[in-house]
Amino acid sequence: MHKLPDLGYGYDALGKYISKDIMTLHHSKHHQTYVDKLNAALDKHVNVKERPVNELLTNLDALPEDIKTVVRNNGGGHYNHTLFWQWMSPDGGGQPNGELAEIIDSRYGSFQNFVDEFTQKALGVFGSGWVWLQPDGSIITTPNQDTPLMLGMPEPLLGLDVWEHAYYLDYKNKRDDYINAWWNVVNWNFVQSRMH
Ligand code: MN3
């Protein structure tokens, strides 16, 4: 059985940037629903029940036809959100350093240019989706709960949820305000730990 992971910090820990109300709803309702629907689908197929979620998503085509879409949406939702909680921290913000800073600087010229480009891509997602920083420094977007693993790409270093459920309670339709606030909670230590 797949389980809802702990946040690792309190629902109110991200303070003014992402409110307790959003964090509570997003984690205990939205993410819990992805986990429940994923488990319900896998329950029908004993042979795939024990597979870790990243393996399921990397090999969607190998899944039984009747659960492919459910696993894509809800397995994707579970995988993406499990990472998303770790990509944020009350001690977040600032800039990366070391090898990641070098990759960003060589590709974008400066950290600020990278932030601007990532933000523009996030604003460009029509409807619901995610924006990702990949290990080669590229920035890509996916619709819905699709994840880079489904595209045959490596695990993302960083990702941002731009579904309205991630910001509407605090920011209404102002996705740009949400993104600007989010940079203040990005957990660069965790991002850097994913590089190798
Ligand atoms: Mn979400």
Side-chain angles (χ1 to χ4, degrees), residues 26 30-31 34 81 84-85 130 145 161-163 165-166:
H26 202 174
H30 288 279
H31 191 170
Y34 297 130
H81 287 83
F84 189 54
W85 312 131
W130 291 74
Q145 295 296 352
D161 186 345
V162 295
W163 283 55
H165 71 221

Side-chain angles (χ1 to χ4, degrees), residues 2 11 16 25 47 58-59 72 83 89 108 127 143 163 165 178 187:
H2 295 272
Y11 282 130
K16 65 178 181 181
L25 181 72
N47 56 325
T58 307
N59 304 292
R72 178 180 183 164
L83 287 166
S89 163
Y108 299 97
W163 283 55
H165 71 221
Y178 158 64
N187 181 355

